[in-house]
Amino acid sequence: MINHKIMDYSSKHSKLLQFIFLLVVFLLLCQFITPSENNFLWRFPSLIAGLPYLINDSAEYLMFDWWPIEVYDPEIEEFEEKPLIQQVTRAISASILFIIGLIREIILGGVKTIVIFTSWDFVSENKWARWPALPWTVVASGAILLGYKLQGKGLAMLAGFSTIYIAVFGQWEPSMQTLSLVLFAAPVSFILGLSLGIWAYKNRKVELTLNPFLNVMQIVPQFSYLVPVMVFFGIGDHAGAIATIIFATPPMVRLTVLGLKRVSPEVLEAGMMSGCSNFQLMYKVLIPTARRDILIGVNQVIMQCLAMAVIASFIGAKGLGFNLLLSLNGLRIGQAIEQGICIVLIAVVLDRMSLAWANKQTDYFADLTFFKRHKYSLIFLAIVVAGIALSYIGTFFFRENFNYLYIVPHNKGISISDTLQEGVDWIWDTFFFTLKGFNIFLIQQILMPMKAAYLSMPVVATLSLTMGVGYIIGGIRSAVIVGGFILFIALTEWWDRALITMYLMSFAVIVSSIIGVTVGTLCAQNSYTSKFILLVCDTFQTFPSFIYLIPVIMLFGVTDTSVLIAVIVYATVPATRYTVVGLRSVPPDLHDAGSMSGVNRMQRWIKIELPMSFPHMALGVNQTVVFALSMIIIGAMIGTDDLGQFILKALSDKIGIGNGLTLGLCVAFIGLAADQVIRTWANERKKILDIS
Amino acid sequence: MSSLAEATQTKQSVIQCDSVYKIFGENAKKMLQSANGNVDAKSFQEAGCIVGVNNASFEVQEGDLLVVMGLSGSGKSTLLRCISRLTDATAGNIFIDGEDLLAMSNKKLIELRRNKMGMVFQSFALLPHKTVLENIAFPLQVKGSSTGDSIKRAKDMVDLVGLDGRENYFPRELSGGQQQRVGIARSLAVEPDIWFLDEPFSALDPLIRKEMQDEFLRLQGVLNKTILFVTHDFDEALRLADRIAIMKEGIIEQLDTPANIVLNPATEYVRKFTEDVPREKVLKIESVMDPIDSSEELSDLQVSKDAIIETVAEVVLNQQKPVAVTDSNNKVVGVVHRSHVIKVLFGSRGPLK
């Protein structure tokens, strides 16, 4: 009888028992494996330490030796043998530089484009052959008009405020440089992503091959892209643009495939029965019907482009990001805040505009007159004329000085950076001991012991723990996948660094999840607070990640604490969002059923809402892991000693391509291992609960 | 007699299906070959294949309205999609106007759809980014008609389905019934010979559904297309059909006129559907007609043999004597006795005479 009960208990709680058993094994392994360099149970020998060199060599071979072709060199008037890849990348670089330069000069004025088609002599002889900058008033009014057209007064005001802020604070030039990078990279990513997406939609094999690449690409830290781009394309705006494109294309591919798949099969059939050819079916039926998802993809692309603004400046992209980086490096926090606000404003405006565009429905025009149909173009034309006239008047008004109605030169606008700096200094002076006390407490009492604990894990113990968790949750398949990822890292020479990354990540994820779930649960209690918190999440998610570093450096200086706090703030956003969305999507019928069974609020939360929304929350935690990892690596900019620091070092290494890529893969594999476990679990739960 | 036989031989059926099979699954073709024509849905399902259409053979003549009736999962929509070649049949032959549909090249298929076929969908399947007029003109435009011509034709179609005044609305601004009118107009824009309707009224409210059925009958009265109409609603099938094919698990259980299906259900499954059908609403006078007996004295009233019993029951019952029945040329072809009508109205189920 008792035996029976035990059997019953063990089958009911078999997973729990398995977990306990796994934990015991793990602790035993930790206890009995001696930490010694020669004990391969303690640390695996770095068997794939050669991988980075292999990558280096192949890259160098590709770049400098492979497939030489005869190229005519006009300077020495002879044919020369040059490697194909180098010629191709140079041609690409040159054309990208030309386009970025063109966009830049349309907004900011210049002669380079004209020089390309004529010559320097021509330009210096003819004074008129010079493209003047668009007056900032024209760009600002254009943005206001666009905002009004896309959504209405609110967006127009936001756009107006942002552009005027940027102009008045003398950040016009760098902002327009950043914008020109976005204006180039975003359309290219869009076209690339759309084409790949269409291809993947049409061909299942392509989709299956593309998927793992997209998964890895979206989680490999941005810094890792920089090294290979630098090796193949050199340094400059074009390199920044290429890195940005590589980073921004995957979400576009994803959303294109998703959007096309969501087109109802009957609409597809209606197109076929109307006699569409394959081409007509794609461009007249599928893409217009999937318009919204595809435009959400455009929104993602733009956001990723801005997120890359600072990171791309590491390989020479000019603009706000570059200036911000300089300010941060010089600890000129006041200036950094001003520049950071500019980036945030640009990001928010572009985000809202592209979302408004996505949500805007097609209008009907055929009945209208020419003037009504082209109302906005005509107004814009008027704005251009008025703006030029205004700047011309300005030349009389500001005779001696800069013509502020035309362009506000860099750093010649209003600046409150000194005041801000004083504020920052005041905070330092006033709260120095409190902050420092907190800082020291955190580091000494929590972080250091945790780090030490992670580093004292034998590699075999870590491996069996992670694989065990994979097995309990997703069976053999998950165990093998997770084990493969971890094993790869363990066989590189950076296992200790990876452990530090894991410790930072797990600390941040735990804190973020606790905060996110708590805040999310509280806010999900009624619809106003839920809407409010989702809006806050939206806004926070719009901020490019490195923006988070500014306030933490301001408060905690250059320490692990700063990085961790930035990571936690950044990673709390998805945890909160998914909690709110998960709780709010519990069907109202279930609430009613609960109420009729007489549950009180607490019971409703514990017995109904929580179990129903738990899978969704788990996906939130999954996102938290991804966010945390990417922020930890960016945190290397202000000094950590994990994988990120080594990736950053690879940037300044002449043959860093192998190191950079391998390290990037290590980071990605940590994320993918967590993703595998969490996603499998969430999907399993969802199937059981019958929610999609 | 010989001339009649000749006539039926030369008169080609518009749609002809010979042992059509559609089986979903990875090695469907192999399994079908080894099954040698005897497909058992259960054993196929165990092997991971789902039987959509199981050995369907029938013909549809010009101007004929065939309704395919079945519950969800019976394979009726799959059969329709095989004939429009939205999915490729696994085995069998389908001929459209004598041409082998399954052997057609992609180009020829597009040509066929552009000129001969029109289809209406359950969820309307309108293009969300186009107005009513643009949606209707869409098949013409993909065909390459000029904008002017296609818009003019689309305007005519708008009038035909009674949507004038809403040409420039977007689908999102229309009710379900109106959206389906657009769907109907679009499917008719290219003046197709064959008209496919896939549960066109199932997503509509009952009152609107009735209205749309009337509208459909009115249109068919004007246009006289060859129609394949899919529905899960037996009453709808009885109301509209010239002939009904009842499907179950991919097999056509019975294919016959509404009257014959109600009077002589071929299988137990079909009988269940017909049980509660009010027979006077389905049967025509023809079904209760007796041959002329010259000794009998007839009343002055005459009724058409095609009249539905319900519509003439009252006048027939009010006569003291049997009533003469005429055909479409007003020639007397039989008589109807009151006792038979009473049996249809109030009698128990069973043979009518």
Side-chain angles (χ1 to χ4, degrees):
Chain A
M1 188 68 192
I2 288 168
N3 212 347
H4 200 74
K5 261 188 184 166
I6 291 171
M7 286 287 286
D8 207 41
Y9 182 84
S10 66
S11 66
K12 210 171 171 183
H13 299 268
S14 65
K15 294 227 159 149
L16 189 68
L17 288 180
Q18 282 174 345
F19 267 118
I20 293 171
F21 174 71
L22 181 67
L23 212 61
V24 172
V25 172
F26 172 71
L27 290 174
L28 285 176
L29 283 171
C30 284
Q31 203 60 45
F32 290 106
I33 292 174
T34 44
S36 133
E37 279 306 313
N38 300 324
N39 185 355
F40 77 94
L41 292 176
W42 167 250
R43 290 290 185 262
F44 286 144
S46 30
L47 289 178
I48 52 173
L51 183 67
Y53 296 98
L54 189 70
I55 297 176
N56 278 338
D57 292 346
S58 350
E60 227 161 87
Y61 172 72
L62 270 180
M63 193 64 189
F64 300 113
D65 295 319
W66 186 64
W67 204 328
I69 49 166
E70 295 274 310
V71 182
Y72 183 73
D73 189 336
E75 280 181 20
I76 51 171
E77 297 187 343
E78 251 177 54
F79 281 93
E80 248 194 325
E81 281 218 332
K82 286 188 177 163
L84 176 74
I85 297 275
Q86 198 182 28
Q87 294 303 305
V88 172
T89 56
R90 278 195 187 165
I92 293 174
S93 305
S95 28
I96 292 177
L97 265 181
F98 169 73
I99 298 171
I100 294 178
L102 181 69
I103 299 172
R104 219 163 255 187
E105 288 183 0
I106 288 176
I107 304 175
L108 289 172
V111 291
K112 275 192 194 156
T113 311
I114 300 173
V115 168
I116 288 174
F117 288 107
T118 56
S119 68
W120 278 110
D121 298 339
F122 176 81
V123 173
S124 44
E125 278 165 27
N126 302 286
K127 286 288 171 220
W128 53 267
R130 219 165 271 273
W131 177 260
L134 270 183
W136 71 266
T137 46
V138 171
V139 179
S141 329
I144 294 173
L145 188 70
L146 191 62
Y148 183 75
K149 186 188 161 166
L150 287 174
Q151 202 176 52
K153 277 182 202 147
L155 190 53
M157 270 158 66
L158 181 67
F161 170 75
S162 309
T163 40
I164 291 169
Y165 170 92
I166 291 167
V168 167
F169 277 77
Q171 302 290 349
W172 192 253
E173 269 173 74
S175 300
M176 291 303 121
Q177 281 172 345
T178 299
L179 192 66
S180 63
L181 207 70
V182 175
L183 285 179
F184 170 75
V188 174
S189 290
F190 167 70
I191 293 168
L192 215 64
L194 190 69
S195 330
L196 281 174
I198 290 173
W199 196 24
Y201 170 79
K202 284 193 159 180
N203 190 334
R204 180 105 184 104
K205 270 184 199 151
V206 174
E207 194 193 347
L208 290 178
T209 348
L210 222 49
N211 258 338
F213 281 101
L214 294 180
N215 285 339
V216 174
M217 275 172 86
Q218 274 187 310
I219 204 167
V220 165
Q222 297 100 318
F223 283 128
S224 297
Y225 292 127
L226 299 184
V227 200
V229 170
M230 203 165 67
V231 169
F232 283 103
F233 296 93
I235 285 179
D237 283 313
H238 60 283
I242 291 170
T244 307
I245 289 166
I246 296 175
F247 186 62
T249 305
M252 185 70 216
V253 181
R254 278 269 155 77
L255 278 155
T256 305
V257 176
L258 182 82
L260 291 176
K261 277 191 176 166
R262 282 223 303 226
V263 172
S264 111
E266 290 211 327
V267 169
L268 182 70
E269 288 177 341
M272 286 163 84
M273 288 310 287
S274 299
C276 284
S277 62
N278 283 342
F279 181 81
Q280 285 170 326
L281 201 60
M282 185 52 73
Y283 291 94
K284 293 197 164 175
V285 178
L286 284 171
I287 291 180
T289 310
R291 176 180 176 276
R292 190 168 178 276
D293 281 318
I294 291 174
L295 287 182
I296 294 289
V298 171
N299 170 266
Q300 288 295 304
V301 164
I302 294 176
M303 290 299 99
Q304 304 282 31
C305 285
L306 279 168
M308 279 296 278
V310 164
I311 293 156
S313 69
F314 274 86
I315 51 172
K318 287 195 274 290
L320 279 174
F322 187 69
N323 298 354
L324 177 60
L325 194 64
L326 287 183
S327 310
L328 279 182
N329 280 345
L331 278 179
R332 292 189 299 277
I333 304 293
Q335 221 172 40
I337 293 175
E338 247 178 49
Q339 289 153 341
I341 291 175
C342 278
I343 298 186
V344 166
L345 286 176
I346 295 177
V348 171
V349 169
L350 288 181
D351 174 58
R352 293 292 128 87
M353 278 191 175
S354 49
L355 277 182
W357 185 32
N359 290 323
K360 197 174 166 61
Q361 283 163 327
T362 33
D363 287 327
Y364 183 68
F365 281 122
D367 273 353
L368 305 176
T369 59
F370 176 81
F371 285 103
K372 277 188 183 162
R373 219 185 298 182
H374 300 282
K375 194 167 100 191
Y376 289 101
S377 323
L378 290 172
I379 295 178
F380 183 68
L381 209 67
I383 287 174
V384 172
V385 173
I388 292 171
L390 202 64
S391 58
Y392 186 69
I393 296 170
T395 54
F396 300 107
F397 197 69
F398 298 106
R399 217 172 269 272
E400 304 298 319
N401 222 321
F402 300 110
N403 182 357
Y404 284 115
L405 287 177
Y406 175 50
I407 202 159
V408 184
H410 186 40
N411 290 341
K412 292 285 182 273
I414 307 168
S415 175
I416 51 165
S417 65
D418 293 337
T419 329
L420 287 173
Q421 190 67 51
E422 276 166 27
V424 172
D425 292 342
W426 179 80
I427 292 176
W428 262 97
D429 293 342
T430 321
F431 298 107
F432 180 76
F433 289 106
T434 329
L435 289 173
K436 188 158 190 193
F438 174 70
N439 203 353
I440 289 175
F441 163 78
L442 193 68
I443 291 178
Q444 287 188 342
Q445 301 300 316
I446 300 174
L447 298 182
M448 293 310 280
M450 194 168 164
K451 189 174 178 178
Y454 267 72
L455 285 172
S456 66
M457 276 192 298
V459 67
V460 178
T462 319
L463 199 59
S464 38
L465 182 69
T466 45
M467 284 182 75
V469 171
Y471 176 75
I472 294 170
I473 284 172
I476 292 287
R477 189 173 170 274
S478 286
V480 170
I481 294 175
V482 172
F485 286 143
I486 301 296
L487 191 66
F488 177 88
I489 306 171
L491 291 178
T492 64
E493 49 184 322
W494 296 296
W495 176 245
D496 283 324
R497 301 294 162 183
L499 282 176
I500 297 176
T501 303
M502 288 183 210
Y503 122 76
L504 286 169
M505 182 197 86
S506 27
F507 181 78
V509 167
I510 290 166
V511 177
S512 290
S513 304
I514 292 172
I515 298 176
V517 170
T518 315
V519 173
T521 309
L522 289 176
C523 289
Q525 296 308 316
N526 79 53
S527 63
Y528 293 107
T529 45
S530 336
K531 261 187 206 148
F532 172 74
I533 197 74
L534 286 180
L535 187 74
V536 172
C537 287
D538 279 341
T539 316
F540 269 86
Q541 232 167 359
T542 322
F543 299 169
S545 40
F546 47 82
I547 291 294
Y548 291 85
L549 295 180
I550 303 174
V552 292
I553 296 182
M554 189 173 100
L555 293 177
F556 296 100
V558 182
T559 56
D560 266 16
T561 319
S562 300
V563 178
L564 269 177
I565 289 178
V567 173
I568 287 166
V569 174
Y570 187 60
T572 302
V573 174
T576 314
R577 170 196 294 282
Y578 277 75
T579 307
V580 174
V581 173
L583 286 172
R584 295 301 292 182
S585 63
V586 174
D589 280 0
L590 269 182
H591 283 194
D592 294 346
S595 304
M596 290 314 287
S597 317
V599 293
N600 62 29
R601 195 147 203 175
M602 198 64 194
Q603 286 171 322
R604 190 174 87 186
W605 185 65
I606 293 175
K607 307 238 172 206
I608 299 174
E609 292 181 336
L610 212 53
M612 282 301 283
S613 54
F614 220 63
H616 207 75
M617 286 185 199
L619 290 180
V621 174
N622 196 15
Q623 282 295 303
T624 304
V625 171
V626 175
F627 273 53
L629 269 179
S630 91
M631 196 66 179
I632 287 169
I633 304 302
I634 289 172
M637 284 202 295
I638 53 175
T640 47
D641 51 359
D642 70 331
L643 291 172
Q645 200 52 245
F646 281 75
I647 299 180
L648 212 55
K649 270 184 200 152
L651 264 178
S652 47
D653 191 347
K654 190 137 181 31
I655 47 158
I657 182 167
N659 284 354
L661 279 181
T662 318
L663 284 161
L665 279 182
C666 289
V667 177
F669 286 172
I670 296 176
L672 288 172
D675 175 86
Q676 169 67 29
V677 173
I678 298 174
R679 197 176 290 269
T680 312
W681 183 82
N683 285 343
E684 196 74 7
R685 268 323 281 178
K686 276 189 175 175
K687 223 181 265 168
I688 292 170
L689 293 173
D690 194 24
I691 42 181
S692 52
Chain B
M1 193 63 203
S2 67
S3 71
L4 191 72
E6 224 168 58
T8 39
Q9 258 180 6
T10 48
K11 196 192 167 196
Q12 219 167 30
S13 43
V14 179
I15 302 170
Q16 185 189 342
C17 292
D18 293 335
S19 324
V20 172
Y21 290 90
K22 175 69 196 181
I23 292 157
F24 299 97
E26 269 178 31
N27 42 6
K29 277 221 157 126
K30 241 186 214 163
M31 290 220 26
L32 188 60
Q33 259 166 10
S34 59
N36 217 357
N38 284 324
V39 174
D40 174 46
K42 280 227 173 79
S43 62
F44 268 64
Q45 197 164 12
E46 276 158 22
C49 286
I50 293 168
V51 179
V53 177
N54 190 349
N55 197 7
S57 301
F58 60 91
E59 292 178 20
V60 187
Q61 307 294 338
E62 195 182 330
D64 204 6
L65 198 173
L66 175 67
V67 174
V68 182
M69 207 291 300
L71 301 183
S72 57
S74 61
K76 55 192 190 304
S77 285
T78 311
L79 177 63
L80 182 78
R81 277 164 176 70
C82 286
I83 297 171
S84 56
R85 218 180 128 182
L86 286 169
T87 54
D88 284 322
T90 316
N93 285 312
I94 301 169
F95 298 95
I96 303 289
D97 280 336
E99 278 189 273
D100 189 350
L101 181 77
L102 299 179
M104 273 182 198
S105 67
N106 201 26
K107 207 175 153 196
K108 192 122 191 259
L109 184 68
I110 287 176
E111 217 39 52
L112 180 77
R113 285 175 179 159
R114 283 182 179 176
N115 299 311
K116 277 197 183 163
M117 290 177 169
M119 183 156 168
V120 181
F121 297 88
Q122 180 175 8
S123 65
F124 324 133
L126 302 178
L127 299 176
H129 59 289
K130 287 182 183 285
T131 61
V132 167
L133 208 59
E134 289 167 337
N135 259 297
I136 299 173
F138 182 70
L140 297 163
Q141 282 175 345
V142 296
K143 203 172 145 181
S145 307
S146 73
T147 311
D149 287 350
S150 53
I151 292 292
K152 190 168 166 295
R153 170 85 186 135
K155 280 223 168 86
D156 293 344
M157 297 314 300
V158 168
D159 291 343
L160 182 71
V161 296
L163 275 178
D164 28 332
R166 302 194 188 263
E167 291 91 342
N168 298 332
Y169 282 46
F170 282 94
R172 59 175 188 266
E173 298 165 320
L174 299 177
S175 70
Q178 288 169 333
Q179 289 194 41
Q180 194 55 298
R181 280 169 198 265
V182 179
I184 288 174
R186 174 177 67 184
S187 67
L188 292 174
V190 292
E191 299 186 57
D193 302 330
I194 308 171
W195 199 14
F196 298 110
L197 297 104
D198 183 18
E199 305 216 26
F201 310 136
S202 301
L204 303 176
D205 294 336
L207 281 180
I208 310 284
R209 193 183 309 158
K210 174 90 178 10
E211 190 188 311
M212 292 296 286
Q213 287 167 356
D214 291 338
E215 178 81 15
F216 171 76
L217 286 173
R218 179 182 73 81
L219 281 173
Q220 173 61 355
V222 181
L223 303 167
N224 202 27
K225 306 274 181 204
T226 308
I227 297 175
L228 208 60
F229 188 112
V230 167
T231 181
H232 66 254
D233 180 348
F234 190 57
D235 292 332
E236 187 171 75
L238 289 174
R239 213 164 158 238
L240 305 177
D242 291 336
R243 290 189 302 154
I244 302 177
I246 295 183
M247 286 185 79
K248 183 195 171 197
E249 289 170 1
I251 299 169
I252 298 181
E253 297 264 306
Q254 187 173 9
L255 197 166
D256 217 327
T257 59
N260 273 341
I261 284 187
V262 172
L263 288 175
N264 312 307
T267 64
E268 186 57 26
Y269 184 72
V270 178
R271 199 186 59 74
K272 274 191 195 152
F273 278 107
T274 61
E275 252 171 9
D276 298 325
V277 174
R279 293 189 290 183
E280 69 277 13
K281 289 189 177 173
V282 180
L283 300 183
K284 296 173 178 170
I285 287 294
E286 200 178 15
S287 329
V288 288
M289 183 174 81
D290 286 323
I292 308 167
D293 183 353
S294 50
S295 64
E296 234 171 359
E297 214 179 314
L298 297 179
S299 103
D300 299 336
L301 185 76
Q302 290 190 332
V303 292
S304 158
K305 74 180 172 76
D306 290 329
I308 300 288
I309 292 176
E310 187 192 30
T311 59
V312 292
E314 195 177 349
V315 285
V316 172
L317 290 181
N318 276 330
Q319 299 297 317
Q320 298 300 321
K321 302 166 195 161
V323 175
V325 179
T326 59
D327 66 3
S328 50
N329 299 325
N330 260 342
K331 204 179 134 211
V332 176
V333 288
V335 290
V336 56
H337 291 95
R338 290 196 299 170
S339 56
H340 290 331
V341 177
I342 289 173
K343 182 140 196 220
V344 169
L345 287 174
F346 306 112
S348 60
R349 298 267 148 185
L352 284 173
K353 291 174 202 166

